[in-house]
Amino acid sequence: MTQHPVEKTPVTLLGLGAMGTALARTWLTTGHPLTVWNRTPAPAKALAADGASIADTAAAAVAANTLVIVCLLDDTSVDDVLSGTDLSGRDLVNLTTSTPAQARARAEWAHARGARYLDGGIMAVPPMIGVPETGGYVFYSGSRELFERHRRTLAVPTGTTYVGEDPGFAALHDIALLSAMYGMFAGAAHAFALIRKEAIDPTTLAPLLADWLTAMAPAVHQTADHLRTGDYTSGVVSHLAMQVAGTPTFLTTAEEQGVSPQLLTPYFELMRRRLTEGSGEEDLTGVIDLLVR
Ligand code: FVH
């Protein structure tokens, strides 16, 4: 009996920056017919050598295939690129980083033009694309039916995590995780600043820092349980009163080391405010309620 190879879904990809190019190579490597377009032609020409079809215009690229993936700089560039195209009958997957409101508006905009819409938030940097063991993935939200239809094709470059029908949820999850990442980087920056003028090799601090952050990361599960139950005191080990009492040590150490405390003080102020409101037996969960306006 003759075995027929599984047909690979043809893909159109608009945007060949660092991320778009990394995505493109994975579809080409796995045998997906790929049509590409980029504002500046050079990155498309480089992919043509590997089998990509180059479209002369964004409109021609959109016309080439049902599945149209965009990976551009920002929402404004998505507008610039797609406004002159005919999206009717297209399955539009937008991997451009945007705000939740922009993603929801883009979904309505696409539906009004006769397209189905899926939004994506990429939790990976370009070298992680096509390398499953790095743990990268893309959050998807919007039409579940559309996600299921293209799941296998979307899973070629990196993992997929569907987070709901609301088209804004992928962007919301993306920005939530990246915001936490910046908080972590801010803490690490302060730690390195503290040792900057000392005879301590930063490369000896780095593994200690990485291990400590890894050890502390599971605390987010208790925070989530507190928020879900409304009981911010259950399982608390290091209560707020104790932690606030320790903050002058951090600020004085920063002063002694000639380091600005500007990355720490906003958080310490919120901790103190929560304590003043009489929540000394909690840990840090109550700070979240001070942030939500
Ligand atoms: N690279 C990363 O580390 C992050 C990882 C997480 C996800 N982000 C988001 O992915 C989107 C694309 O990012 P990128 O890395 O590909 O970005 P660039 O290399 O700067 O390429 C930008 C592409 O967008 C095109 N472009 C920009 N403005 C316009 C416009 N007005 N009209 C048409 N195209 C436009 C640009 O074209 P060109 O400059 O090459 O002609 C590139 O194709 C992004 O949302 C990240 O937040 C990446």
Side-chain angles (χ1 to χ4, degrees):
M1 223 168 68
T2 315
Q3 290 271 337
H4 294 289
V6 180
E7 273 194 23
K8 300 290 174 74
T9 304
V11 177
T12 281
L13 176 62
L14 303 170
L16 297 172
M19 183 54 80
T21 298
L23 298 171
R25 291 203 182 283
T26 66
W27 283 308
L28 287 172
T29 308
T30 50
H32 286 261
L34 181 70
T35 301
V36 294
W37 176 87
N38 193 62
R39 178 181 60 178
T40 311
K45 283 185 184 147
L47 287 170
D50 295 328
S53 304
I54 305 179
D56 289 338
T57 62
V62 169
N65 295 305
T66 301
L67 178 57
V68 175
I69 298 178
V70 289
C71 186
L72 294 160
L73 185 63
D74 54 17
D75 190 57
T76 306
S77 48
V78 174
D79 223 42
D80 289 349
V81 170
L82 291 182
S83 56
T85 69
D86 178 3
L87 288 169
S88 62
R90 303 293 117 179
D91 293 345
L92 180 61
V93 179
N94 183 11
L95 301 183
T96 306
T97 303
S98 51
T99 71
Q102 284 171 338
R104 288 171 185 138
R106 186 61 60 197
E108 281 189 25
W109 179 93
H111 295 154
R113 284 157 182 76
R116 293 166 288 273
Y117 186 83
L118 203 55
D119 203 80
I122 304 174
M123 303 309 302
V125 291
M128 294 165 76
I129 299 300
V131 190
E133 53 277 21
T134 58
Y137 62 93
V138 176
F139 284 121
Y140 287 99
S141 69
S143 165
R144 179 182 285 278
E145 192 273 321
L146 191 58
F147 173 71
E148 294 301 341
R149 190 186 309 168
H150 294 299
R151 184 199 279 260
R152 286 175 57 160
T153 305
L154 297 175
V156 166
T158 189
T160 61
T161 300
Y162 180 78
V163 286
E165 293 274 348
D166 183 329
F169 275 12
L172 188 53
H173 282 74
D174 181 12
I175 299 300
L177 266 59
L178 292 178
S179 300
M181 177 194 76
Y182 280 118
M184 179 188 76
F185 287 156
H190 185 83
F192 279 119
L194 287 177
I195 65 147
R196 192 77 179 119
K197 293 190 215 148
E198 304 287 352
I200 300 174
D201 185 338
T203 63
T204 63
L205 186 71
L208 302 171
L209 208 46
D211 287 351
W212 178 244
L213 292 172
T214 304
M216 290 296 103
V220 299
H221 298 296
Q222 189 178 69
T223 305
D225 284 340
H226 287 168
L227 291 171
R228 193 168 42 81
T229 61
D231 176 5
Y232 294 0
T233 60
S234 77
V236 168
V237 176
S238 306
H239 58 73
L240 186 60
M242 179 279 292
Q243 295 204 51
V244 170
T247 57
T249 306
F250 289 81
L251 299 176
T252 307
T253 301
E255 203 177 325
E256 286 173 4
Q257 297 301 111
V259 170
S260 164
Q262 64 189 312
L263 291 173
L264 292 184
T265 43
Y267 195 62
F268 285 174
E269 272 165 36
L270 288 165
M271 286 164 62
R272 251 179 259 125
R273 242 178 81 198
R274 185 71 185 177
L275 182 63
T276 311
E277 291 173 4
S279 308
E281 295 310 308
E282 299 175 356
D283 61 5
L284 300 167
T285 307
V287 164
I288 296 163
D289 290 340
L290 297 180
L291 291 176
V292 178
R293 294 194 204 126

